[in-house]
Amino acid sequence: MNKLRHLYMYAHAFGKSLQIDTLQHLQTLSNLHIQDWKQANPANLINLRKLGLTGNFGTNADEIFISLSRLLCLQSLFLQSEDNFMFPSLRQLSLLRRVIKLQIRGEIRKLPSSNEFPQRLTQLIFHKSHLNDDPMEMLKDLPYLFVLRLKAFSYVGKQLKVSAGGFPQLEILELEYLLLQEVHVEESALPQLRSFHISSCSDLRRIPERMKFVTTLRELQIRQMPRRFTDRLQGEDYCKVQHVPSIKIL
């Protein structure tokens, strides 16, 4: 198997030594349990570009992230916390200088500041993170962020605020299964936004007021939203989005 390039696991710890670091041609290693990862020598995985790890990141977090920093070709990273375990502060993400796509699934105690994320990050996805504080304030200054997806219960607050000048490169924004009531977008925020998806945010009252000034927006997709939201979008709020070429209500 020394020429194997893509390996997909099932996130169960094997309990015995699982030797993966001899697979030097490996490019994808998906859904590996953290206990098995700890037995590997990542310096040997010289071609690994995409990695998914599942387990308890609350113990030996520094050791885990130092090992990840030794993956010189790593570009895409998926971290999933096991049930009943919480991610630590994740400040160690700053070690991952080459990662451009990051997906985190599981509860996060505290979101890192923007300078503690990989600075070349272009795609960021949160799922079931249960963040209490508005994540937009922490993420708005990521200089190359192109895609942001806040998936189911990634944030449990009632309001999101995108500050003035925030997200200078963001083109795709997705909000899904959140408890939001309001989204506020300040002047000059989201200057490059092209695609905006809102899905199953049943408490959201209306589209953000300043979307009418986001002239770059080319696609607005509304999925599984309450009738009062869609009626308002097609009625009194239509002036906010009338410049958008593609509006889909599903």
Side-chain angles (χ1 to χ4, degrees):
M1 297 175 66
N2 61 355
K3 293 186 178 180
L4 189 68
R5 294 190 179 186
H6 306 282
L7 177 59
Y8 298 86
M9 308 294 287
Y10 287 91
H12 297 296
F14 278 79
K16 297 181 180 180
S17 178
L18 179 66
Q19 191 171 7
I20 59 171
D21 49 18
T22 58
L23 305 176
Q24 294 189 0
H25 291 277
L26 206 60
Q27 296 179 11
T28 302
L29 178 56
S30 179
N31 219 13
L32 183 72
H33 197 278
I34 197 69
Q35 294 302 324
D36 295 313
W37 175 256
K38 289 178 180 179
Q39 299 173 18
N41 181 2
N44 292 338
L45 297 170
I46 57 176
N47 289 299
L48 193 63
R49 301 174 186 176
K50 184 176 181 179
L51 174 64
L53 294 178
T54 297
N56 178 10
F57 292 84
T59 59
N60 301 318
D62 289 335
E63 177 185 338
I64 294 168
F65 281 98
I66 288 173
S67 71
L68 295 177
S69 70
R70 294 173 182 154
L71 300 170
L72 300 182
C73 291
L74 186 66
Q75 295 182 334
S76 177
L77 179 63
F78 172 48
L79 303 177
Q80 177 170 288
S81 179
E82 286 182 322
D83 293 341
N84 302 319
F85 290 111
M86 185 182 292
F87 282 103
S89 67
L90 292 177
R91 66 186 185 281
Q92 303 95 333
L93 286 170
S94 60
L95 298 172
L96 310 180
R97 298 178 182 178
R98 300 167 185 83
V99 170
I100 60 174
K101 181 178 180 180
L102 177 63
Q103 182 173 353
I104 300 178
R105 183 185 181 111
E107 192 168 353
I108 300 174
R109 183 175 293 129
K110 183 181 179 182
L111 201 64
S113 60
S114 60
N115 61 2
E116 291 175 323
F117 279 94
Q119 290 304 295
R120 295 176 59 193
L121 204 61
T122 62
Q123 298 185 55
L124 183 57
I125 304 168
F126 291 106
H127 196 130
K128 294 186 177 180
S129 303
H130 292 273
L131 294 166
N132 290 304
D133 297 328
D134 186 343
M136 302 308 240
E137 188 62 28
M138 292 292 190
L139 304 176
K140 66 182 177 64
D141 294 324
L142 289 173
Y144 303 110
L145 194 64
F146 176 82
V147 177
L148 175 61
R149 304 187 194 277
L150 299 181
K151 308 288 276 187
F153 305 108
S154 54
Y155 171 56
V156 294
K158 302 296 184 183
Q159 294 188 357
L160 277 180
K161 180 181 177 181
V162 185
S163 299
F167 298 98
Q169 300 297 329
L170 195 70
E171 293 195 15
I172 299 173
L173 176 61
E174 181 178 343
L175 309 176
E176 177 186 279
Y177 280 104
L178 302 178
L179 304 176
L180 294 172
Q181 293 179 355
E182 296 283 348
V183 177
H184 299 284
V185 177
E186 292 189 346
E187 186 176 359
S188 73
L190 303 170
Q192 303 294 331
L193 191 68
R194 296 180 59 85
S195 181
F196 187 21
H197 293 195
I198 302 175
S199 176
S200 301
C201 298
S202 58
D203 294 334
L204 190 61
R205 298 167 183 166
R206 53 184 172 265
I207 204 80
E209 182 67 32
R210 297 196 65 85
M211 292 309 295
K212 58 187 174 184
F213 298 113
V214 184
T215 57
T216 56
L217 193 62
R218 292 293 175 264
E219 179 192 28
L220 175 64
Q221 186 174 115
I222 307 299
R223 183 185 294 271
Q224 295 181 344
M225 291 293 288
R227 182 69 177 270
R228 66 181 183 278
F229 181 93
T230 56
D231 284 350
R232 178 165 181 153
L233 180 63
Q234 294 171 313
E236 61 186 288
D237 281 352
Y238 181 69
C239 61
K240 303 175 186 178
V241 296
Q242 61 183 353
H243 63 287
V244 182
S246 175
I247 300 176
K248 299 178 182 178
I249 300 177
L250 307 172

